[in-house]
Amino acid sequence: TTVFASQTGHTTGPSLNNDKLYKFAYSAEVYVDRVKASLQKSAGYRISSGVDVNLLWRNPDNDDDQLIKITIKDVQVENVNERPAAKSIFKGRSTEKIIRKEYLEALQKPIVLELVRGKVKTFYSYQNEPGFTQNIKRGLASLFQLQLHSGSTREVDISGKCNTTYHVRQDQVTKIKDLDSCETAKQGFTSHNPILDVSKKVTSATIYVLEDGFIKSIKAEENYVFLLNFRRKTGAKIVSKQKLELKSVQAGPGLIAGKQVAGVIKTLDSSYVAMPLEAEPVKSECKKCPSLSQHWQSIREHMHPEKLSKSEAAKSFLSFIKSIRKATKEEILQVIRSENKELLPQVVDAVTSAQTPESLEAILEFLDFKDASASILQERFLYACGFASHPSETLLKSLTDKFKGDIANEEIRETLVIVMGALIRKLCDKGGCKLPFVVEAKRMILNRLEKAKKDDNVRMYLLALKNALLPEAIPLLLKYTESEEGPISSLAATALQRYDPSFLTKEVKETMNRIYHQNRKVHEKTLRTTAAAIILNSNPSYMEVKNILLSIGELPMEMNKYMLSMIQDILHFEMPSSKTIRKVLKDMRAHNYDRFSKMGSSSAYSGYITRGPDVSSTYSLDILYSGSGILRRSNMNIHIFDRNAELHASQVVIEAQGLESIIAATPDEGEENLDSFAGMSAILFDVQLRPVTFFQGYGDLMSKMLSATGDPMNVVKGLVLLTDYSQEFQLQSGPTASAEFLGGLAIDISGGMEFSLWYRESKTNVKNRVAVFLSGNTEVDSFFVKTGMETTLEVETALDFISTVQFSQYPFLVCMQMDRIESPFRSHVTKYESLPSGRRYTARRGKAEMLAGNEYPLHQENSNMCRKVFGAKSDSAGGWF
């Protein structure tokens, strides 16, 4: 007989007595539910059985090296919570029927462990056994691994190689396993932006009670919690519990004689083989899943272009992506090739967003960039690449290769390089800046920009840099900002504006100060105001702020009003530079009445759209006019942020220049030679899109004005995958589990600009229609039973922004309206348990509410003006022209 380690000091692990059979009761339970829910109503199941353990052999030279045999018997499968028979998928079915006869037989075949000082040195089992029964045995075997002194170690069990800490107090041992530290083949991916991603918390603890040197009871519990970062109310948890209790000790078989382990195993059963204790991957096959083309046929009707702002479109898009991720290249091509041109763009969105090697190969084989007539599909493909949730280096390489080849449509060529910029940034954010294809793409864009002669080429490489945000591009951007004119200098400046202030060197600030104060040459208002915004946003010094404040009053008319409005907005919204501005304002000379009472219609304003416990969103709206009342730039931004991260959700900029001749007005200083132009540029989810031109040149303007219908131009239409989280993990009791959260957006943004010479009025209108659908599925797959929980959220909304300008008098009247319509919001939670035969139990709960619409109060001055504009309108009814 052996005595407990502490007495004789020769054993450092649990020890079994000879010729005894230890009879245990074992159970493994799984629960899936909402994070805050108690476990009483969770979905799940319990496997319970008897477990017999006996000593086979002890090393004659080392008491602490033992072979033990473990046998599972009398297996039962049941609900984890009491439930009426009608709601149980297991009731009235034998274990043999639930697990299947051959699996049950495999499960009941014994395993043998070699324990050395309490750790599992070797796990012996039968080959060609089903992976899932083998994993259940590994989960049981891992429980027998423990050490009898406190301390931390790295050890291998079913979860892989993990950091494990033991606390020992008399006959009780607590084992804490750090599941985040486990070395296993990681399956899955996360979203690029933390705000759109999912947080995971995991814990694992096992408590052992010992008696007579061996195990009296074991209780293990493992918890996985998943929370959606932008709405922490939405999430899921998986709880896995194991319990082993000693019921009796009886007379058992004697020991096998032998010097070496190998000989003893051979004597016992020559079919035994040593296997890893770490779980093997197991995937249950889907028996009744529809093919990809069947799936597409079932959702096709929701994907028509006119339905793209409905949540059903976003929902269908997500389910289609899941199917594409399991499909072969041939299956994907079959769907693409059989579809008509109205629905193809939506298919392209989904195939590209799936981001598997097969889906990328399929879409690249289908798209022919030498064909100018298919530019709509090419553009949709490229934007879906730009929004990719976890882009690969292969994707960037494929685009670089396409860019070097023939491209029939010039706009597609531009979009391609702009999207390459976005991919470079995403890959760099994940630490991939030194990957060979990333280095090649960066070098190509920088070199070609330096060599570019034509304005169009310069513009396209600048837009790519506006997405890539490379620190090494800053000197080039400075050069274009200061030495070029018109749209080019403006674009280079807005690219600098997107950098984190920490990258903006002393040289950047000196250049911006020179531009704003026009030290070297006269610059346009649009450029000077951007330079001022960069200075004020990057921790400005007392003198920088003072010089800007002193300049107000000496600026062109509308620019005075705009700068004043910008300063007031920084103070009102408590932006970082507001402290320095308040300090400077105490200096009375800068703060005199004349300086701060300028007339004009330009403005800048920020406010909250939502303020929540998890994320908040803000809008900012600024509008700059020329002295004669024509719009120069309107800029509308929406930002979403939480405690640690920020996402530039959208920006819509409408720019116009050189339009004074239409109303026979005088252009502002420094703007006499500007060509007539109006266009729109958008950023969506941190990605700058290719700008759209309304008209270029006086002739183009006149022909468009005479045929103006006022119909908005479509800027962005399509389906975007926002949240893309998928993780598979091994539970210590044997089954595999997975958490998948997908969030999709169906979006339709359009914008337009109309003129009426008769009423001397112009109108710009930006309509944002969006639908969001999020689906989460957290599941435990035991092969013979699946249990899990699906969560869905959906909302449809529209944000409209209209600005009306009447320039029949000065200061002209400007009315800005920003409205969000009443929006339906629905959420559902469905818990389920199912057998491969199709027997299924589900419990579903839902909630629907209307989120009130809102007219955003931009600022008091605006409200006063809107009253005047609409007061004047009622006297002069009639159409445009």
Side-chain angles (χ1 to χ4, degrees):
T1 69
T2 68
V3 199
F4 194 42
S6 56
Q7 290 162 16
T8 60
H10 73 176
T11 354
T12 47
S15 185
L16 287 81
N17 290 330
N18 307 358
D19 312 330
K20 295 284 185 220
L21 180 65
Y22 295 81
K23 288 185 104 49
F24 288 91
Y26 176 62
S27 69
E29 300 173 337
V30 171
Y31 302 82
V32 186
D33 213 328
R34 297 200 317 278
V35 178
K36 291 268 195 310
S38 74
L39 299 180
Q40 272 85 31
K41 294 205 171 123
S42 303
Y45 57 87
R46 176 189 299 118
I47 300 176
S48 51
S49 71
V51 169
D52 288 358
V53 183
N54 64 293
L55 183 66
L56 291 173
W57 172 83
R58 182 177 281 120
N59 188 334
D61 305 326
N62 174 8
D63 273 5
D64 224 358
D65 179 0
Q66 346 174 49
L67 274 184
I68 65 170
K69 179 170 151 190
I70 300 175
T71 313
I72 294 174
K73 20 180 37 162
D74 310 326
V75 182
Q76 300 287 315
V77 183
E78 55 198 335
N79 290 104
V80 75
N81 286 312
E82 282 301 311
R83 207 181 278 156
K87 291 189 172 179
S88 166
I89 56 171
F90 304 120
K91 275 284 184 306
R93 305 199 137 210
S94 65
T95 306
E96 197 170 284
K97 213 160 181 175
I98 296 168
I99 296 184
R100 297 225 318 252
K101 188 167 182 236
E102 64 272 31
Y103 291 143
L104 187 57
E105 282 171 4
L107 192 56
Q108 296 183 351
K109 281 186 183 165
I111 53 170
V112 175
L113 303 183
E114 182 183 5
L115 289 178
V116 177
R117 287 195 295 280
K119 301 297 171 79
V120 177
K121 184 182 173 190
T122 326
F123 168 76
Y124 294 97
S125 187
Y126 294 99
Q127 229 163 353
N128 309 330
E129 239 186 60
F132 95 89
T133 59
Q134 208 72 281
N135 283 347
I136 290 176
K137 294 179 187 181
R138 288 182 168 107
L140 178 58
S142 297
L143 288 179
F144 283 87
Q145 173 157 280
L146 81 154
Q147 68 182 39
L148 298 180
H149 57 276
S150 295
S152 293
T153 177
R154 264 185 93 64
E155 59 181 41
V156 175
D157 69 359
I158 183 169
S159 312
K161 191 173 190 180
C162 312
N163 293 344
T164 310
T165 307
Y166 288 91
H167 300 281
V168 180
R169 282 180 53 203
Q170 289 159 329
D171 283 352
Q172 187 171 313
V173 179
T174 306
K175 171 161 88 174
I176 306 285
K177 185 158 59 176
D178 175 6
L179 292 170
D180 286 325
S181 72
C182 298
E183 274 174 46
T184 48
K186 290 274 189 295
Q187 295 291 318
F189 36 81
T190 57
S191 308
H192 172 255
N193 189 295
I195 288 178
L196 303 172
D197 209 25
V198 173
S199 302
K200 172 176 113 177
K201 290 194 184 105
V202 288
T203 57
S204 161
T206 309
I207 296 171
Y208 295 83
V209 177
L210 303 167
E211 190 175 77
D212 293 336
F214 195 51
I215 291 159
K216 184 186 179 190
S217 72
I218 305 175
K219 278 183 182 163
E221 184 172 320
E222 192 177 24
N223 283 278
Y224 286 81
V225 172
F226 301 91
L227 297 166
L228 212 55
N229 288 344
F230 62 82
R231 191 177 191 266
R232 297 178 80 83
K233 251 205 264 190
T234 299
K237 70 176 168 194
I238 294 175
V239 180
S240 162
K241 295 182 178 187
Q242 288 166 282
K243 207 155 93 186
L244 189 72
E245 281 183 305
L246 183 62
K247 291 300 180 195
S248 65
V249 182
Q250 303 171 3
L255 299 186
I256 299 172
K259 275 284 200 200
Q260 303 294 327
V261 174
V264 177
I265 292 287
K266 219 171 190 153
T267 311
L268 185 68
D269 184 340
S270 58
S271 315
Y272 272 125
V273 275
M275 292 189 175
L277 186 55
E278 187 183 326
E280 61 189 275
V282 181
K283 206 71 192 125
S284 52
E285 288 305 308
C286 186
K287 301 272 190 309
K288 296 176 185 160
C289 286
S291 70
L292 188 65
S293 52
Q294 285 170 329
H295 186 149
W296 170 245
Q297 289 308 319
S298 70
I299 56 169
R300 196 171 167 267
E301 59 172 309
H302 304 300
M303 302 297 249
H304 283 277
E306 64 279 7
K307 294 185 181 170
L308 280 196
S309 51
K310 293 275 172 263
S311 66
E312 200 55 63
K315 178 183 178 177
S316 304
F317 169 63
L318 296 182
S319 72
F320 193 35
I321 287 176
K322 285 187 187 179
S323 289
I324 297 169
R325 284 181 169 165
K326 298 182 190 124
T328 64
K329 174 179 154 184
E330 281 62 42
E331 291 171 310
I332 298 169
L333 277 169
Q334 186 194 341
V335 172
I336 300 178
R337 291 194 169 126
S338 62
E339 204 34 272
N340 67 27
K341 71 171 196 283
E342 194 192 14
L343 287 159
L344 254 178
Q346 289 72 268
V347 176
V348 170
D349 284 341
V351 170
T352 314
S353 302
Q355 300 169 74
T356 63
E358 292 76 9
S359 64
L360 179 60
E361 280 178 33
I363 196 77
L364 287 173
E365 184 170 315
F366 172 72
L367 291 175
D368 175 8
F369 284 83
K370 297 186 186 74
D371 174 6
S373 66
S375 61
I376 287 182
L377 297 180
Q378 294 161 19
E379 184 173 70
R380 287 285 272 270
F381 160 70
L382 291 170
Y383 281 149
C385 291
F387 297 132
S389 49
H390 52 273
S392 64
E393 195 192 359
T394 320
L395 177 59
L396 180 60
K397 180 188 185 309
S398 309
L399 295 191
T400 311
D401 293 346
K402 289 284 173 217
F403 187 71
K404 290 174 179 168
D406 288 341
I407 299 171
N409 181 319
E410 200 42 49
E411 289 183 349
I412 291 300
R413 202 177 130 75
E414 277 189 39
T415 308
L416 180 53
V417 78
I418 294 169
V419 165
M420 282 171 63
L423 292 179
I424 289 170
R425 179 179 174 199
K426 285 184 174 179
L427 289 162
C428 283
D429 283 351
K430 291 275 188 217
C433 239
K434 300 233 163 39
L435 294 169
F437 296 122
V438 179
V439 173
E440 185 195 345
K442 286 197 292 192
R443 194 180 298 130
M444 186 189 84
I445 291 170
L446 290 168
N447 289 349
R448 293 198 179 192
L449 174 58
E450 292 201 49
K451 295 194 182 87
K453 296 280 180 282
K454 289 206 327 249
D455 268 8
D456 284 354
N457 282 342
V458 170
R459 186 182 84 145
M460 108 182 150
Y461 294 118
L462 286 175
L463 285 161
L465 290 177
K466 189 172 173 179
N467 273 331
L469 297 181
L470 303 171
E472 61 265 41
I474 289 177
L476 260 176
L477 292 171
L478 284 178
K479 184 186 94 174
Y480 280 102
T481 305
E482 195 169 21
S483 56
E484 292 292 330
E485 347 247 74
I488 295 284
S489 56
S490 220
L491 171 56
T494 60
L496 287 166
Q497 203 175 1
R498 288 196 72 201
Y499 280 84
D500 187 270
S502 61
F503 286 105
L504 301 180
T505 54
K506 183 161 145 279
E507 192 188 359
V508 176
K509 291 173 89 174
E510 282 169 1
T511 310
M512 293 307 121
N513 278 297
R514 275 200 305 275
I515 291 171
Y516 177 74
H517 296 293
Q518 305 195 109
N519 298 354
R520 288 189 182 166
K521 65 174 195 178
V522 174
H523 294 280
E524 294 163 55
K525 290 198 295 285
T526 43
L527 185 62
R528 293 178 67 191
T529 50
T530 303
I534 291 173
I535 297 165
L536 292 170
N537 189 37
S538 41
N539 194 11
S541 67
Y542 181 89
M543 277 319 289
E544 283 176 318
V545 172
K546 186 172 180 177
N547 287 335
I548 287 177
L549 288 178
L550 285 170
S551 73
I552 297 177
E554 322 295 328
L555 304 168
M557 266 198 316
E558 281 295 325
M559 189 171 159
N560 271 324
K561 182 70 175 57
Y562 181 88
M563 287 304 301
L564 186 57
S565 189
M566 186 198 282
I567 297 286
Q568 284 164 338
D569 190 42
I570 292 172
L571 293 172
H572 144 87
F573 211 67
E574 296 284 347
M575 291 175 200
S577 58
S578 57
K579 287 192 181 68
T580 314
I581 293 177
R582 285 185 210 283
K583 224 186 245 167
V584 175
L585 286 176
K586 283 189 180 148
D587 173 355
M588 281 317 292
R589 209 164 65 83
H591 192 184
N592 56 23
Y593 177 74
D594 173 54
R595 202 177 294 286
F596 280 12
S597 60
K598 291 295 163 199
M599 272 183 19
S601 310
S602 301
S603 65
Y605 187 78
S606 306
Y608 280 99
I609 299 179
T610 55
R611 295 179 85 160
D614 308 315
V615 295
S616 297
S617 53
T618 59
Y619 64 89
S620 67
L621 185 60
D622 60 87
I623 294 208
L624 176 64
Y625 294 93
S626 69
S628 51
I630 294 224
L631 175 79
R632 280 294 268 117
R633 183 183 64 213
S634 89
N635 184 352
M636 160 91 191
N637 286 285
I638 296 175
H639 285 270
I640 302 173
F641 53 91
D642 63 11
R643 291 178 192 86
N644 328 318
E646 183 180 348
L647 174 65
H648 196 169
S650 79
Q651 176 187 64
V652 178
V653 180
I654 294 181
E655 281 202 71
Q657 65 177 38
L659 305 189
E660 281 73 16
S661 49
I662 318 173
I663 56 166
T666 316
D668 294 356
E669 179 203 14
E671 303 188 357
E672 297 84 1
N673 307 326
L674 292 178
D675 198 9
S676 305
F677 163 83
M680 175 158 163
S681 162
I683 288 175
L684 193 60
F685 300 107
D686 268 332
V687 178
Q688 164 74 49
L689 310 182
R690 186 179 57 76
V692 180
T693 301
F694 294 151
F695 51 78
Q696 176 95 46
Y698 189 71
D700 188 25
L701 163 65
M702 287 328 269
S703 72
K704 290 216 169 110
M705 270 185 66
L706 296 171
S707 65
T709 55
D711 281 348
M713 255 178 94
N714 182 42
V715 187
V716 183
K717 192 181 202 122
L719 297 150
V720 182
L721 181 61
L722 293 180
T723 294
D724 193 8
Y725 180 91
S726 170
Q727 298 289 320
E728 290 183 8
F729 40 96
Q730 177 61 47
L731 296 183
Q732 45 192 45
S733 56
T736 47
S738 60
E740 183 176 47
F741 287 84
L742 287 177
L745 174 82
I747 190 163
D748 192 341
I749 299 181
S750 53
M753 193 171 182
E754 319 171 33
F755 281 98
S756 161
L757 292 178
W758 187 257
Y759 292 119
R760 296 179 83 72
E761 182 172 281
S762 83
K763 214 178 192 174
T764 54
N765 182 349
V766 177
K767 277 184 173 337
N768 297 285
R769 307 220 166 300
V770 295
V772 177
F773 191 89
L774 183 115
S775 77
N777 186 23
T778 312
E779 183 173 86
V780 178
D781 182 355
S782 253
F783 214 73
F784 60 88
V785 54
K786 276 188 173 157
T787 179
M789 183 177 79
E790 285 174 6
T791 309
T792 61
L793 301 175
E794 55 186 297
V795 64
E796 286 171 17
T797 188
L799 197 64
D800 283 356
F801 167 62
I802 303 163
S803 63
T804 311
V805 185
Q806 291 181 349
F807 38 79
S808 47
Q809 58 188 53
Y810 191 84
F812 38 88
L813 299 176
V814 181
C815 164
M816 295 182 291
Q817 294 153 284
M818 186 165 119
D819 300 336
R820 190 186 72 213
I821 60 164
E822 184 179 54
S823 318
F825 175 82
R826 291 185 284 274
S827 61
H828 285 100
V829 170
T830 308
K831 297 181 218 172
Y832 61 89
E833 293 151 7
S834 70
L835 297 173
S837 64
R839 270 187 90 158
R840 190 175 168 92
Y841 159 78
T842 53
R844 182 174 163 90
R845 282 179 58 184
K847 189 171 136 192
E849 52 187 312
M850 275 312 240
L851 306 177
N854 195 355
E855 273 192 38
Y856 291 93
L858 297 172
H859 42 94
Q860 189 56 50
E861 207 174 308
N862 181 55
S863 308
N864 301 343
M865 259 200 210
C866 288
R867 279 190 210 103
K868 284 188 190 167
V869 168
F870 292 111
K873 286 276 281 266
S874 55
D875 312 335
S876 56
W880 300 93
F881 302 114

